[in-house]
Amino acid sequence: MRNALSILFLITLVTHVLSFGQSASNPFVVVIDPGHGGDDSGAIGTHGILEKDIVLKVAQEMVRLNRETDGALGLYLTRYSDTLISLSDRTGLAKALKAEAYVSIHCNQAHRMEAQGIEVFLPMDTERFTEASLQLANAIGLNLNHYLGLKDRGVKAANFQVLRETVQVCPSILVELGFLSNGVEEEYFSKRTSIMAMALVLLETLNDFFDEGNSQ
């Protein structure tokens, strides 16, 4: 992993985020969905790191960075603590807020411990917001690879409920940040600087997405 690049990215990007988009008085509404929670731990790493904890930390860091840099996004989380929220409640939040983007965050797991990298999923069998969802998905994979050195496994389609029920509202994607079953990636996720770096990449990518005119 590119720890040195991650630190450099943190230093340079914080000031760059300030330059974007819509004013704080009229922010773009984005729902960030940290997967799992409560009794549902999600993937479990080889040294016991839990998916539910990693994705919540990334989401909380996105909120903190967005607030401290007076960012252009109105970020709302589907959960702010270690609680289990139903899938329908997660998607219901996006509908109630009339969100302009929905990003569900996860970590992966595989029997093959060598498996590594990012996967980004789009909703299946729909044309609504497909182009915008694809643009956001491609950008997230590209930026996580370019800035942090995480392997980009590409964009795929899936019939996940959280995508199926939000794509009628806004561009909708699900991001698998990496494999907790891979020892190298699990170690990377355990570091505070890595959490900050991933959060910044996601936040920056969303800012770019809206700055390029992809709001509804």
Side-chain angles (χ1 to χ4, degrees), residues 4-209:
L5 283 178
S6 298
I7 295 171
L8 178 62
F9 179 70
L10 290 171
I11 295 171
T12 58
L13 186 58
V14 168
T15 55
H16 186 55
V17 171
L18 288 168
S19 65
F20 280 94
Q22 204 164 347
S23 68
S25 62
N26 188 28
F28 297 108
V29 176
V30 179
V31 172
I32 304 296
D33 173 31
H36 308 283
D39 294 336
D40 179 8
S41 66
I44 302 175
T46 56
H47 293 92
I49 289 181
L50 304 180
E51 176 183 1
K52 67 173 184 177
D53 296 333
I54 297 301
V55 297
L56 181 59
K57 288 177 182 178
V58 172
Q60 290 173 331
E61 186 66 14
M62 290 178 69
V63 171
R64 186 188 71 81
L65 291 168
N66 184 66
R67 181 179 63 248
E68 292 189 0
T69 57
D70 294 325
L73 304 182
L75 293 185
Y76 297 85
L77 305 188
T78 57
R79 65 181 181 96
Y80 289 85
S81 61
D82 184 19
T83 54
L84 181 59
I85 307 298
S86 71
L87 296 180
S88 60
D89 284 343
R90 293 171 192 262
T91 61
L93 180 63
K95 296 173 185 177
L97 293 174
K98 298 182 180 179
E100 292 166 277
Y102 179 92
V103 180
S104 188
I105 306 176
H106 292 260
C107 295
N108 224 329
Q109 192 169 31
H111 292 297
R112 190 172 67 87
M113 296 180 66
E114 295 79 8
Q116 61 178 310
I118 316 140
E119 293 179 331
V120 187
F121 291 90
L122 303 175
M124 292 181 66
D125 302 325
T126 179
E127 294 183 1
R128 187 165 176 79
F129 295 116
T130 296
E131 184 176 348
S133 297
L134 180 60
Q135 181 176 342
L136 180 57
N138 281 329
I140 284 177
L142 178 66
N143 288 344
L144 286 169
N145 171 259
H146 177 73
Y147 289 111
L148 305 182
L150 299 172
K151 179 181 178 181
D152 185 0
R153 297 168 63 95
V155 175
K156 306 173 183 180
N159 193 32
F160 298 135
Q161 182 177 340
V162 293
L163 299 182
R164 189 173 66 246
E165 294 184 359
T166 54
V167 71
Q168 298 302 318
V169 178
C170 61
S172 177
I173 63 170
L174 184 147
V175 184
E176 297 276 6
L177 291 172
F179 286 79
L180 289 180
S181 49
N182 181 289
V184 175
E185 292 195 336
E186 182 188 24
E187 182 181 1
Y188 180 77
F189 293 144
S190 69
K191 298 175 181 178
R192 169 67 176 166
T193 54
S194 301
I195 297 296
M196 292 176 65
M198 288 186 289
L200 272 170
V201 170
L202 293 173
L203 187 64
E204 171 76 347
T205 304
L206 283 162
N207 275 309
D208 278 337
F209 176 74

